[in-house]
Amino acid sequence: MERPVTEADLTFDHVPETDQSFENALTKARASDRLTVDDAIELLTTGTDVDGIDQTRKEQVLEAADRRRADVVGEEVTFVANLNNNVTTACNVGCLFCNFKDAAHTFERDTELQSAGFTKTPEESREIVADAVDRGVYEVTSVSGLHPAFALDDEHLEVLEAHPEPKAVNYKPPEAYEIDPGTYTDQISAMSVDGVHVHSMTPEEAYHARRGTDWSYEVVYGRLKAAGLDTVPGTAAEILVEEVREVICPGKISTEGWLEAMEAAANVGLGLTATIMYGHVENEAHRAMHLQRVRELQERVDGAITEFVPLSFVHQNTPLYEHDVVSGGASIDEDELLIAVSRLFLDNIDHIQSSWVKYGDEQGLKMLSCGADDFMGTILSEEITKRAGGEYGEYRSFADYVDLISSIGRVPVERSTDYETRRIIDPDEPPFGPRLGPKSDGTPILTPEERAPPADD
Ligand code: SF4
């Protein structure tokens, strides 16, 4: 039997070595000059001439990023009233950093196996979203496993049904499963309730929604848009360098495929976000290359990316950790530098998000002084990070947001998903609930009794 890959086996073509100096890179960053990959490597490593992180240099990078943040977006810290409604955990792709999935065969009708996961029907999704919208929520984010029965729409279902080798395209008919998730367009139109903003269909899901066809991503996203899709989360990006993807997610969409799908989504008029998932096997050269690919994409899509979301790898309960391919996640220094260098490098993306789900409250707040200016959303239901061992996958109320943001002297601002609509919140005027949604009137989303368990207290 072949021995599994371990941390000691990993060698990469791209390594953090440059002809640049830390001082030059910092000078360019302070002057708001456009940074190169080598500059970014110098800043992310606090200089390739030193071993480990130099604390004085790190503070210089963070300070430059904090100044840039103040120049670009001022003192406001934004957040959104959103719901996470993930449709299914059934997935066969087997990404080694993921513990969100449950093997798809455990969802089948005639299995003896007990599935630990869930699948929701379109009707269930609609009910969940309708309840959230009644409570004032105005964005639903939905990212799911690649259920083998999922098809884009009825036409795609017919193509998959007629496919000579369904296994080769990861397809099994809906009847084989205990619960039929419906098609992607069924789910999107079910979630598109009362003008709620539907943020869904990552490039990976779009890839699944065209398998077995020669349809372009424009066709796929065009049909999803017609069903009610508003914007596309740029997750599944992980690290956009093939030699890293080959280790952590060999079965997943390629770098080129991810970029092509994102561009197509923008071409049909959908807004985008972009992400990086770092702190696993990659090095600072890969992080810098990733940032460059995102910055170039933003040029091509003419500014359609509204925010960049750094996601620190949560290693607990993941195959990468359990098989000793990694011994942990990113350090706090690395997290802070990644946020800061994202702010400095991505000079064409206005908003950098601090994810309290990944970093926790205290560090999440600190990130707002390292270059970040957005603090996520209420996340009425959060499943992905919780299942991977993250400790912060809980609902966050507007009152929590106002307290946290005011505590660091910044201005709490409710925003729409696309940042087009904003409302500054006066911390002296409770109660604090959303006001930008079709049914939001300032009432808190959950009553204190409904908050079980409370987020912090
Ligand atoms: S990251 Fe997504 S595609 Fe990969 S295994 Fe997890 S759910 Fe499946």
Side-chain angles (χ1 to χ4, degrees):
M1 203 173 103
E2 216 177 300
R3 187 174 64 83
V5 173
T6 67
E7 200 166 7
D9 299 325
L10 294 175
T11 51
F12 289 120
D13 290 341
H14 299 286
V15 290
E17 288 170 1
T18 81
D19 294 329
Q20 177 61 295
S21 72
F22 174 81
E23 285 74 18
N24 279 342
L26 183 64
T27 303
K28 285 176 72 179
R30 284 174 170 159
S32 300
D33 290 350
R34 182 159 267 210
L35 302 179
T36 63
V37 166
D38 281 358
D39 295 329
I41 292 172
E42 288 300 317
L43 299 177
L44 286 164
T45 55
T46 62
T48 51
D49 58 334
V50 294
D51 283 337
I53 303 289
D54 178 295
Q55 291 300 320
T56 307
R57 287 179 170 184
K58 184 191 90 171
E59 289 308 321
Q60 291 170 329
V61 177
L62 302 191
E63 199 188 324
D66 194 39
R67 277 206 197 136
R68 180 77 65 82
R69 182 272 307 160
D71 288 348
V72 176
V73 291
E75 299 307 312
E76 295 183 353
V77 174
T78 47
F79 51 93
V80 64
N82 64 348
L83 161 83
N84 262 17
N85 179 53
N86 305 315
V87 170
T88 178
T89 55
C91 191
N92 285 333
V93 177
C95 303
L96 276 81
F97 59 83
C98 174
N99 197 32
F100 173 67
K101 72 216 170 239
D102 294 288
H105 66 270
T106 65
F107 291 72
E108 289 177 19
R109 253 178 215 288
D110 51 8
T111 179
E112 300 287 294
L113 299 165
Q114 185 74 34
S115 173
F118 62 84
T119 298
K120 294 168 190 160
T121 63
E123 295 70 30
E124 286 168 329
S125 286
R126 176 172 285 270
E127 259 175 53
I128 292 165
V129 177
D131 174 62
V133 173
D134 281 343
R135 291 170 178 275
V137 164
Y138 45 83
E139 173 191 299
V140 53
T141 300
S142 181
V143 176
S144 299
L146 306 184
H147 195 302
F150 250 148
L152 173 62
D153 53 13
D154 291 343
E155 188 187 341
H156 189 212
L157 210 46
E158 278 173 31
V159 173
L160 292 170
E161 283 291 343
H163 200 281
E165 283 182 85
K167 217 172 170 187
V169 288
N170 189 13
Y171 175 70
K172 262 206 176 168
E175 308 79 66
Y177 294 91
E178 200 68 50
I179 297 169
D180 177 358
T183 64
Y184 281 117
T185 50
D186 290 340
Q187 284 283 355
I188 296 295
S189 76
M191 286 189 267
S192 189
V193 180
D194 286 333
V196 76
H197 184 110
V198 182
H199 185 54
S200 186
M201 297 303 296
T202 69
E204 182 72 23
E205 291 174 295
Y207 174 73
H208 195 59
R210 67 187 277 256
R211 68 199 190 284
T213 75
D214 56 5
W215 299 344
S216 69
Y217 283 110
E218 271 89 355
V219 166
V220 173
Y221 277 120
R223 292 188 194 179
L224 291 162
K225 187 176 181 222
L229 182 65
D230 294 296
T231 50
V232 171
T235 49
E238 325 313 353
I239 293 284
L240 292 169
V241 181
E242 282 312 290
E243 64 178 359
V244 175
R245 300 179 86 74
E246 279 160 19
V247 177
I248 65 167
C249 52
K252 205 164 194 171
I253 192 169
S254 65
T255 298
E256 283 312 311
W258 188 90
L259 293 167
E260 186 191 339
M262 291 283 274
E263 216 170 322
N267 287 345
V268 301
L270 295 165
L272 310 171
T273 61
T275 62
I276 180 171
M277 203 266 298
Y278 65 95
H280 37 87
V281 303
E282 89 294 352
N283 60 44
E284 291 86 351
H286 299 124
R287 294 177 195 174
M289 290 167 72
H290 179 101
L291 292 176
Q292 187 178 41
R293 285 175 181 163
V294 171
R295 189 172 69 187
E296 288 169 354
L297 173 67
Q298 176 74 327
E299 301 282 333
R300 293 199 297 279
V301 298
D302 207 15
I305 301 171
T306 49
E307 65 183 3
F308 184 66
V309 185
L311 301 168
S312 194
F313 172 55
V314 177
H315 63 278
Q316 295 95 337
N317 305 337
T318 63
L320 276 182
Y321 182 62
E322 283 163 0
H323 299 165
D324 289 330
V325 187
V326 300
S327 50
S331 66
I332 290 176
D333 286 339
E334 289 180 287
D335 285 334
E336 293 176 349
L337 284 163
L338 198 282
I339 292 269
V341 178
S342 300
R343 167 61 72 190
L344 295 165
F345 193 93
L346 298 173
D347 51 13
N348 54 4
I349 299 179
D350 282 350
H351 304 288
I352 307 290
Q353 187 176 93
S354 166
S355 165
W356 54 261
V357 172
K358 302 284 183 189
Y359 302 127
D361 281 356
E362 196 181 331
Q363 191 58 33
L365 271 181
K366 169 86 194 292
M367 296 310 192
L368 298 170
S369 306
C370 302
D373 70 303
D374 183 74
F375 212 14
M376 295 188 82
T378 52
I379 314 187
L380 196 52
S381 161
E382 213 288 332
E383 287 134 357
I384 294 176
T385 301
K386 234 185 327 195
R387 288 169 65 95
E391 294 164 27
Y392 309 101
E394 299 291 355
Y395 164 75
R396 168 64 19 102
S397 73
F398 268 40
D400 294 336
Y401 269 120
V402 172
D403 275 357
L404 288 167
I405 296 164
S406 306
S407 75
I408 56 164
R410 301 272 283 279
V411 181
V413 175
E414 174 185 9
R415 67 163 170 93
S416 58
T417 307
D418 59 9
Y419 290 83
E420 292 294 318
T421 317
R422 296 150 180 270
R423 177 178 72 98
I424 294 177
I425 300 182
D426 182 344
D428 295 326
E429 290 200 2
F432 305 114
R435 287 193 180 273
L436 299 183
K439 295 195 181 177
S440 47
D441 59 4
T443 310
I445 293 172
L446 296 182
T447 63
E449 297 74 46
E450 286 173 317
R451 293 189 62 181
D456 292 308
D457 35 28

mmCIF file of all heavy atoms in Angstrom, residues 89 91-95 97-101 144-146 204 238 249 252, ligand 1:
data_model
loop_
_atom_site.group_PDB
_atom_site.id
_atom_site.type_symbol
_atom_site.label_atom_id
_atom_site.label_comp_id
_atom_site.label_asym_id
_atom_site.label_seq_id
_atom_site.Cartn_x
_atom_site.Cartn_y
_atom_site.Cartn_z
ATOM 1 N N THR A 89 -24.752 18.375 2.678
ATOM 2 C CA THR A 89 -23.361 18.064 3.004
ATOM 3 C C THR A 89 -22.868 16.866 2.186
ATOM 4 O O THR A 89 -21.737 16.429 2.375
ATOM 5 C CB THR A 89 -23.211 17.748 4.506
ATOM 6 O OG1 THR A 89 -24.121 16.697 4.837
ATOM 7 C CG2 THR A 89 -23.476 18.960 5.371
ATOM 8 N N CYS A 91 -21.148 14.941 -0.502
ATOM 9 C CA CYS A 91 -20.103 15.331 -1.445
ATOM 10 C C CYS A 91 -19.086 14.196 -1.581
ATOM 11 O O CYS A 91 -18.745 13.550 -0.602
ATOM 12 C CB CYS A 91 -19.381 16.594 -0.962
ATOM 13 S SG CYS A 91 -18.307 17.299 -2.231
ATOM 14 N N ASN A 92 -18.627 13.991 -2.808
ATOM 15 C CA ASN A 92 -17.637 12.938 -3.056
ATOM 16 C C ASN A 92 -16.274 13.475 -3.450
ATOM 17 O O ASN A 92 -15.406 12.700 -3.797
ATOM 18 C CB ASN A 92 -18.091 12.058 -4.246
ATOM 19 C CG ASN A 92 -19.208 11.142 -3.839
ATOM 20 O OD1 ASN A 92 -19.330 10.789 -2.683
ATOM 21 N ND2 ASN A 92 -20.028 10.753 -4.800
ATOM 22 N N VAL A 93 -16.118 14.778 -3.439
ATOM 23 C CA VAL A 93 -14.900 15.340 -4.034
ATOM 24 C C VAL A 93 -13.670 15.044 -3.184
ATOM 25 O O VAL A 93 -12.579 14.833 -3.703
ATOM 26 C CB VAL A 93 -15.074 16.854 -4.308
ATOM 27 C CG1 VAL A 93 -13.791 17.457 -4.864
ATOM 28 C CG2 VAL A 93 -16.220 17.069 -5.278
ATOM 29 N N GLY A 94 -13.843 15.011 -1.890
ATOM 30 C CA GLY A 94 -12.736 14.553 -1.032
ATOM 31 C C GLY A 94 -11.603 15.542 -0.850
ATOM 32 O O GLY A 94 -10.442 15.134 -0.737
ATOM 33 N N CYS A 95 -11.899 16.842 -0.809
ATOM 34 C CA CYS A 95 -10.839 17.822 -0.540
ATOM 35 C C CYS A 95 -10.260 17.531 0.847
ATOM 36 O O CYS A 95 -11.016 17.333 1.806
ATOM 37 C CB CYS A 95 -11.392 19.240 -0.576
ATOM 38 S SG CYS A 95 -12.199 19.626 -2.132
ATOM 39 N N PHE A 97 -8.797 19.359 3.000
ATOM 40 C CA PHE A 97 -8.887 20.389 4.052
ATOM 41 C C PHE A 97 -10.303 20.491 4.598
ATOM 42 O O PHE A 97 -10.584 21.308 5.451
ATOM 43 C CB PHE A 97 -8.489 21.765 3.478
ATOM 44 C CG PHE A 97 -9.355 22.173 2.328
ATOM 45 C CD1 PHE A 97 -10.575 22.769 2.562
ATOM 46 C CD2 PHE A 97 -8.967 21.918 1.038
ATOM 47 C CE1 PHE A 97 -11.404 23.107 1.508
ATOM 48 C CE2 PHE A 97 -9.785 22.254 -0.020
ATOM 49 C CZ PHE A 97 -11.010 22.851 0.218
ATOM 50 N N CYS A 98 -11.209 19.645 4.112
ATOM 51 C CA CYS A 98 -12.639 19.858 4.354
ATOM 52 C C CYS A 98 -13.199 18.808 5.287
ATOM 53 O O CYS A 98 -12.988 17.620 5.095
ATOM 54 C CB CYS A 98 -13.377 19.797 3.027
ATOM 55 S SG CYS A 98 -15.177 19.881 3.200
ATOM 56 N N ASN A 99 -13.962 19.269 6.255
ATOM 57 C CA ASN A 99 -14.731 18.309 7.030
ATOM 58 C C ASN A 99 -16.195 18.696 7.039
ATOM 59 O O ASN A 99 -16.932 18.372 7.957
ATOM 60 C CB ASN A 99 -14.194 18.168 8.453
ATOM 61 C CG ASN A 99 -14.723 16.893 9.087
ATOM 62 O OD1 ASN A 99 -14.938 15.919 8.394
ATOM 63 N ND2 ASN A 99 -14.953 16.919 10.381
ATOM 64 N N PHE A 100 -16.585 19.422 6.015
ATOM 65 C CA PHE A 100 -18.001 19.792 5.896
ATOM 66 C C PHE A 100 -18.787 18.656 5.276
ATOM 67 O O PHE A 100 -19.949 18.443 5.576
ATOM 68 C CB PHE A 100 -18.118 21.045 5.026
ATOM 69 C CG PHE A 100 -19.546 21.422 4.709
ATOM 70 C CD1 PHE A 100 -20.392 21.864 5.712
ATOM 71 C CD2 PHE A 100 -20.023 21.331 3.417
ATOM 72 C CE1 PHE A 100 -21.704 22.199 5.425
ATOM 73 C CE2 PHE A 100 -21.337 21.673 3.120
ATOM 74 C CZ PHE A 100 -22.180 22.111 4.129
ATOM 75 N N LYS A 101 -18.116 17.886 4.425
ATOM 76 C CA LYS A 101 -18.833 16.895 3.607
ATOM 77 C C LYS A 101 -19.167 15.615 4.379
ATOM 78 O O LYS A 101 -18.557 15.306 5.409
ATOM 79 C CB LYS A 101 -17.965 16.509 2.426
ATOM 80 C CG LYS A 101 -16.803 15.642 2.923
ATOM 81 C CD LYS A 101 -15.538 15.858 2.219
ATOM 82 C CE LYS A 101 -14.407 15.165 2.912
ATOM 83 N NZ LYS A 101 -13.377 16.064 3.325
ATOM 84 N N SER A 144 -22.859 24.509 -0.824
ATOM 85 C CA SER A 144 -23.189 23.123 -0.485
ATOM 86 C C SER A 144 -22.165 22.135 -1.016
ATOM 87 O O SER A 144 -21.340 22.468 -1.865
ATOM 88 C CB SER A 144 -24.555 22.779 -1.098
ATOM 89 O OG SER A 144 -25.535 23.625 -0.557
ATOM 90 N N GLY A 145 -22.278 20.904 -0.534
ATOM 91 C CA GLY A 145 -21.490 19.818 -1.095
ATOM 92 C C GLY A 145 -21.992 19.505 -2.507
ATOM 93 O O GLY A 145 -23.098 19.898 -2.897
ATOM 94 N N LEU A 146 -21.168 18.788 -3.257
ATOM 95 C CA LEU A 146 -21.532 18.494 -4.655
ATOM 96 C C LEU A 146 -22.298 17.174 -4.707
ATOM 97 O O LEU A 146 -21.754 16.118 -5.044
ATOM 98 C CB LEU A 146 -20.282 18.456 -5.523
ATOM 99 C CG LEU A 146 -19.414 19.715 -5.433
ATOM 100 C CD1 LEU A 146 -18.252 19.629 -6.399
ATOM 101 C CD2 LEU A 146 -20.219 20.978 -5.683
ATOM 102 N N GLU A 204 -16.965 26.152 -8.041
ATOM 103 C CA GLU A 204 -16.977 24.692 -7.930
ATOM 104 C C GLU A 204 -18.391 24.148 -8.150
ATOM 105 O O GLU A 204 -18.583 23.128 -8.817
ATOM 106 C CB GLU A 204 -16.471 24.292 -6.527
ATOM 107 C CG GLU A 204 -16.383 22.808 -6.269
ATOM 108 C CD GLU A 204 -15.234 22.130 -7.019
ATOM 109 O OE1 GLU A 204 -14.273 22.823 -7.371
ATOM 110 O OE2 GLU A 204 -15.318 20.911 -7.240
ATOM 111 N N GLU A 238 -9.390 28.478 -2.610
ATOM 112 C CA GLU A 238 -8.303 27.939 -1.768
ATOM 113 C C GLU A 238 -7.025 28.721 -2.080
ATOM 114 O O GLU A 238 -6.960 29.892 -1.853
ATOM 115 C CB GLU A 238 -8.131 26.423 -1.985
ATOM 116 C CG GLU A 238 -9.404 25.617 -2.255
ATOM 117 C CD GLU A 238 -10.594 25.868 -1.338
ATOM 118 O OE1 GLU A 238 -10.478 26.601 -0.351
ATOM 119 O OE2 GLU A 238 -11.694 25.339 -1.631
ATOM 120 N N CYS A 249 -6.559 19.499 -2.834
ATOM 121 C CA CYS A 249 -7.877 19.268 -3.440
ATOM 122 C C CYS A 249 -7.720 18.822 -4.896
ATOM 123 O O CYS A 249 -8.197 19.482 -5.814
ATOM 124 C CB CYS A 249 -8.756 20.513 -3.348
ATOM 125 S SG CYS A 249 -8.002 22.049 -3.968
ATOM 126 N N LYS A 252 -10.680 18.848 -7.389
ATOM 127 C CA LYS A 252 -11.478 20.080 -7.471
ATOM 128 C C LYS A 252 -11.197 20.872 -8.740
ATOM 129 O O LYS A 252 -10.215 20.634 -9.435
ATOM 130 C CB LYS A 252 -11.110 20.926 -6.247
ATOM 131 C CG LYS A 252 -12.181 21.878 -5.835
ATOM 132 C CD LYS A 252 -11.928 22.375 -4.432
ATOM 133 C CE LYS A 252 -13.181 23.053 -3.920
ATOM 134 N NZ LYS A 252 -13.091 23.373 -2.524
HETATM 135 S S1 SF4 B 1 -14.598 21.644 0.006
HETATM 136 FE FE1 SF4 B 1 -16.561 21.469 -1.063
HETATM 137 S S2 SF4 B 1 -16.091 20.198 -2.857
HETATM 138 FE FE2 SF4 B 1 -14.405 19.885 -1.409
HETATM 139 S S3 SF4 B 1 -15.014 18.067 -0.213
HETATM 140 FE FE3 SF4 B 1 -15.703 19.887 0.916
HETATM 141 S S4 SF4 B 1 -17.825 20.164 0.293
HETATM 142 FE FE4 SF4 B 1 -16.868 18.813 -1.243
#
